[in-house]
Amino acid sequence: MARTGPGSAAKRTLVWLGVVFALLALLLGGGSLWSNASWTPKLALDLEGGTQMILAPEVQGSSTGEITPEQLDQAVEIIRQRVDGSGVAEAEISTQSGQNVIVALPGIPEPETRELIQASAQMEFRPVLFGGPGQAPAAQTPTPEDQLPTPSAEPTDASDPNWITAELLQEFEATDCTSPEALEPAVEPAAGDQPTIACEPDTQGKYILGPVEVRGTEIESADYGMARSAQGQSLNEWVVNIDFNDEATETFRAVTERLFAIGAGDPRNQFAIVLDGVIVSAPTTNAVIPDGRPQISGSFTEESAAALSEQLKYGALPISFEIQSEQQISATLGADQLRLGLIAGVIGLVLVAVYSLFQYRMLGLVTIASLVVAGGLTYLAICILGWTENYRLSLAGVAGLIVAIGQTADSFIVYFERIRDELRDGRGLVSAVENGWRRAKRTVLASKAMNLLAAVVLYFVAVGNVRGFAFTLGLTAIADLIVVFLFTHPTMRLLAMTRFFGEGHRWSGLDPTRLGALPLYRGAGRVRHKPVERPAVELRGRNKAAAGEAERRMTIAERRLAEQKAAQEKAAQQKVEQKSNGAPAGDGQQETVSARGHGPEEGDKR
Amino acid sequence: MSRFSFAEFGNELYSGKRSYPFVGKRNLWFIIAGAAVLLSLLIPVIKGGFNLGIDFRGGSEFTVSNVQDTSISAGEQAVTGIVPEAVPRVTNIAPETVRVQTERLSDDETLAVRDALIGAYGVTEEEVTSNFVGPTWGEDVSRQAVIGLIVFVVLAALLMAIYFRTWKMSVAAMTALVVVMITSAGIYSLVDFEVTPSAIIGFLTILSYSLYDTVVVFDKIRENTADQDVSTKRTFAEQVNLAVNQTLVRSINTSVVAVLPVAAILFIGAMLLGAGTLRDLSLALFVGIIIGTVTTVFIAAPMYAMLRMKEPEIRKQEKRVLQRRSLEAKEAEGTVRA
C-alpha cells in the first residue's frame, strides 16, 4: 500500500464495502429481473405454514440397519420422484445429518401422499401382453362386447394371452396414460401373481402386463456406459447394464428364451421394468441372455441412461421410510410466529441500541450503524441464498438472527474498550484507534472463530428444524467480520479526525479526562498517574502516517490551538512527573519508594 | 465520585486502583463452583430426571391458538371422545393457546382429534397445529447432540491450544465449560423447564458463547503476561487478576448486550407464543450466557493462573517480585524511622 494517511485508507475501505453491497444488490436485482429471485427471504414452512416430515430410511433386508450416504441419496431421489409425481408443488426434500430425509410440503398432505412417501420402492420385471398408444379413451371406440377376449384356458406362462380377460381389456381401454394421475406412483402395487395395466410416461404408451417374473431386489448392480462392439471398440451409443444375482440369472434366461421366440414385431416380445406401478422402460428382447447380464440399448442420452440405471438401483435396494416426526403448521400460525419473531428482533435491537448509547455515548451510534450495515449484508445474503440455494428462513433462523445482534455488538465492544484502554494509556485518539484496532483485531478474529466453529458443528449435527439457527449464526458471524473490518474500523478512523471525537467531547464516549488519561484529582498531595508499565507499542509507519495525516488536516487555527494545548499538556505532564516522583510507588513505574507511605490508589492488593 | 460511571469504574479497574480478587480467592470460587456442580448433578437424581419434551417421549401433540375459553376439560373430552383409552395432557401454555399431548395416534385418529378440538374450542382449522413424533426420534436428537458436543469441544480445545500456544489455557477454558454445562443442566432440572431439541441446540450455542467470552479474556491475559519473565512488578497471579479486572467492564457490557436480545425473544416467546422453538432456544441461552460470563471470570482465569503458578519459571519470578516488595517495605520502614 502506498504511504497514505488513515483517512484516505479508511475512505478506500468504505468504498470497497460499498462495492460489496452494490455487487450483492446487483446480483439480487438481476436475479429478480431475469430469474425467480425475490427481494424478500424465502420462508420455511414453520413461518409459511405447511407440513414437515422427518423420515428415517430403512433398507429392507439390511442386517446392519445402517444407511450409507449413497443409499441416502437414493432415498432422497425416490421421495423426490414420488412427491413430484403426486403433483405436490414446491416440496422441499433434503437430508439431515447423514441419516434422515426431511420433506417439507406446503399445506396438509392427503393421506395417500403420506402413505406414498413412506412406502418402499417396488421394482418388478413383467412381460408385456398387449400394448397400445396411451391416448384419452374418448378418442377411441371401445371394443364391442362381442369382440372382447374370452380366455380359452388357464394361462400357462407369464406371456400367455389367456391372462387378458374382458374386464382387463375394458379397464385397459378406459385408462388414460396422458393424464398426470395415471403417471403417479401407485401406493399399493398390483399383486405380483396377477396381470396389471401400466403406463410408460416417456412414450405415453400403455400396456397390459403379465405377472411378475423377476423382482428388483434380485438386481445385483446396475450401471451405464458406452456400448462396445464385439471387438471391444466403443460404439457411440449409451447403454444400461444390469447384473442379476444367481437365482434371477436362471429365471431371466428362461424369460428371454420365451420372449425371443415370440419374435420381433409382436408386443409380447417386450418386457417392462415397473417401478411403483409405472413403467420406467419396456425394451424388446433381441437375444437370449444366459449370463444374467442384460444390456438395455436404445435412444439413450447419457442423462437418460444414468437415470434408468439409478432407478434400477432402487429396485435392488428397497428403501422404506419411517416417519420420525411430523409437524403441521397452519399459515396463520406461521404468520403470527414471524410477526412476533420480528417484534422480538426489534425490541432486542432497540435494547442493544439504548444500552450502547448509554455506555458509549455517541460511539453507540457507530455500533448502531454497524449493526444496520451487518443487518443489510445478512439480509441480502439470505435473499441471494434463497434464490440460488433455496435457503428458507425458519423461526429458528430468525432466533439466530436476533441472538446474533448481541454477538455482533460484542466485537464492537471489544474494539471500543481497546480504544479506551489506549486512551487511558495517554495516547491521542488517532493513534489510540490504530493501536486499539491492532490489538482488538486479533481478539475479534480469535473469538469469532469460536462462534463460527460452533455454528459449523451445529449445522452439521443439528437435528430437527434448528439447523436454520446454526446457519444464521454462522452467516452473521461472517457478516460481523466483514462489517468490523470494512465499516466499523474505517468509520472510527474517520471519526477520530473529527473535532467532536478527536478533542474528546464529553458526549463522544472517548473523553480522555473521563477515561483517566489526565490526572483526575490533585490536592491532598495525591495525584493519580497513568500506569505506563512498559514502553507503548512502537507506532508503525501507517500509524505515524495517521498522526501526520491528522496534523495535515488541521486548519492553521486548529494547529495553533493544538500546539498550545500540547505545550500546556507538556507542562502539566512535567508537573505530574515532579509530583509523582515524590508520590508513593503504589502502582507506578518507579522502583524507588518515598516516605509517604502507600496511597489508597495502589493496585493489586493481594 | 458523585455518580457511578462505568467509564470511571473501567478506569479504576484498568489502572488497578480498584481490583477484585478473582485469582486471590480462587479456592472460594472453586468451592462454590464445586458445590453448584454437585447440586446440579444431584437435583436431577432427586427429582427423577428432566422434564423431557414430546420429542423425547414420542407421541402426538396439538396446539390450538386463539382460544377464547382455555378450559382443560374441553380438550380432554375432545381426545377421549375419539380415542377412549387415551390419557391426554392438556396445558394452557400461553394466553389463548392450549396444547394437547397424547400418545401416538394413527393418521385417522389424528384427523378426528383435530376436528374434535376445532369443535371443542370453537376455532377454525387454521388455528390447530399438529405435531407427531416417532418413538425413536428423541434418541436421534440426543445422539446428535452428544456428537456435536464432543466434536465442538475437541475442535475448540485444539483451536485454543494452537491460538494461545499453551494447553493450559485450553484446560482452564474447558473446565469452565464443564461447569457451565452441568450447572445449566441443573437449573433446567430445578426449574422443570422442558427439554426439547431447541433447548439442546440452545445449550450447544451456550458453549460457543462461553468459549467466545473466555477467548477475549484470555487474550488480554496473554497480552499482560507477555513480558512476565522480565517484569518484577507483579506476580503471575496478580497479572492474570489485573487482566480479568481490566476486561471486567467489557465482560459486563458484552454479556448485557448478548442477553438483551435473548431476553426480548424469551419475553415474546414465553408470553405470547408459549412453548416452542423461540422460547426453548432463548431460555437455554439466557441461562447459559449469564453462567458463561460468570465462569470465565471466576473459574477459567483463576484456573489458568493456578495451573501456571507451579511452573518453576513462574515461581522464580514470583520470588523476585516478593523480594523486591519486602526490600521496599524495609526501606520504607527505615525511612520512616530515620
Side-chain angles (χ1 to χ4, degrees), chain A residues 2 7 53 98 174 186 201 223 230 303 312 329 336 352 367 390 394 407 415 458 491 501 531 538 557 569 589 598:
Chain A
M53 283 183 247
D223 60 14
E303 227 169 52
L312 287 165
I329 290 172
D336 264 11
V352 167
T367 307
N390 207 10
S394 64
Q407 300 210 336
Y415 181 29
L458 279 185
T491 304
F501 284 96
E538 181 64 24
E569 270 173 20
Q589 68 274 50
H598 289 256

Side-chain angles (χ1 to χ4, degrees), chain B residues 302-338:
Chain B
M303 176 73 75
Y304 174 61
M306 195 186 80
L307 285 174
R308 295 272 322 254
M309 272 157 78
K310 294 198 181 87
E311 289 177 16
E313 281 297 307
I314 302 284
R315 285 200 160 170
K316 243 185 252 168
Q317 190 266 349
E318 190 179 322
K319 222 177 251 173
R320 284 203 301 271
V321 173
L322 296 178
Q323 256 171 10
R324 181 185 64 87
R325 279 202 193 141
S326 68
L327 206 72
E328 282 171 7
K330 269 181 205 153
E331 266 177 34
E333 246 172 68
T335 13
V336 169
R337 271 191 211 131

Side-chain angles (χ1 to χ4, degrees), chain A residues 189-433:
Chain A
D193 56 357
Q194 290 299 314
T196 183
I197 296 158
C199 297
E200 189 180 12
D202 288 352
T203 58
Q204 291 193 338
K206 60 178 173 181
Y207 297 89
I208 298 179
L209 305 175
V212 176
E213 296 201 285
V214 182
R215 293 200 175 272
T217 43
E218 292 177 287
I219 297 173
E220 201 99 295
S221 67
D223 60 14
Y224 67 100
M226 284 286 186
R228 290 185 179 280
S229 68
Q231 286 78 37
Q233 279 171 322
S234 178
L235 303 171
N236 197 20
E237 187 191 20
W238 288 101
V239 291
V240 176
N241 302 302
I242 305 175
D243 194 352
F244 284 113
N245 65 18
D246 293 344
E247 206 180 314
T249 300
E250 270 311 297
T251 328
F252 200 68
R253 189 176 55 80
V255 172
T256 46
E257 265 172 12
R258 190 180 72 226
L259 298 188
F260 186 60
I262 291 169
D266 192 319
R268 293 195 301 130
N269 170 256
Q270 286 172 279
F271 66 91
I273 304 169
V274 187
L275 180 63
D276 287 337
V278 176
I279 298 175
V280 294
S281 178
T284 52
T285 313
N286 301 332
V288 175
I289 314 287
D291 60 353
R293 296 180 166 210
Q295 185 179 68
I296 306 173
S297 57
S299 49
F300 283 119
T301 61
E302 181 178 1
E303 227 169 52
S304 62
L308 181 59
S309 77
E310 278 300 306
Q311 285 175 320
L312 287 165
K313 280 183 200 164
Y314 304 156
L317 189 89
I319 300 176
S320 67
F321 298 90
E322 196 194 341
I323 296 187
Q324 293 279 10
S325 140
E326 179 180 345
Q327 208 181 9
Q328 292 178 356
I329 290 172
S330 71
T332 48
L333 188 76
D336 264 11
Q337 303 248 35
L338 179 62
R339 190 172 51 84
L340 291 173
L342 291 179
I343 291 174
V346 170
I347 293 175
L349 200 61
V350 168
L351 288 176
V352 167
V354 168
Y355 187 79
S356 35
L357 284 177
F358 167 70
Q359 278 292 320
Y360 295 99
R361 307 292 156 92
M362 296 306 280
L363 213 50
L365 288 180
V366 179
T367 307
I368 297 167
S370 304
L371 281 175
V372 168
V373 174
L377 273 180
T378 313
Y379 186 86
L380 283 175
I382 286 176
C383 289
I384 290 174
L385 287 172
W387 168 43
T388 57
E389 309 293 316
N390 207 10
Y391 171 74
R392 281 161 184 270
L393 193 60
S394 64
L395 190 60
V398 173
L401 288 177
I402 300 169
V403 169
I405 298 173
Q407 300 210 336
T408 306
D410 264 11
S411 359
F412 310 143
I413 290 174
V414 169
Y415 181 29
F416 294 162
E417 286 296 333
R418 283 302 187 145
I419 295 177
R420 283 185 162 186
D421 285 354
E422 297 294 324
L423 288 173
R424 286 177 179 131
D425 280 346
R427 269 178 218 289
L429 183 59
V430 172
S431 72
V433 165

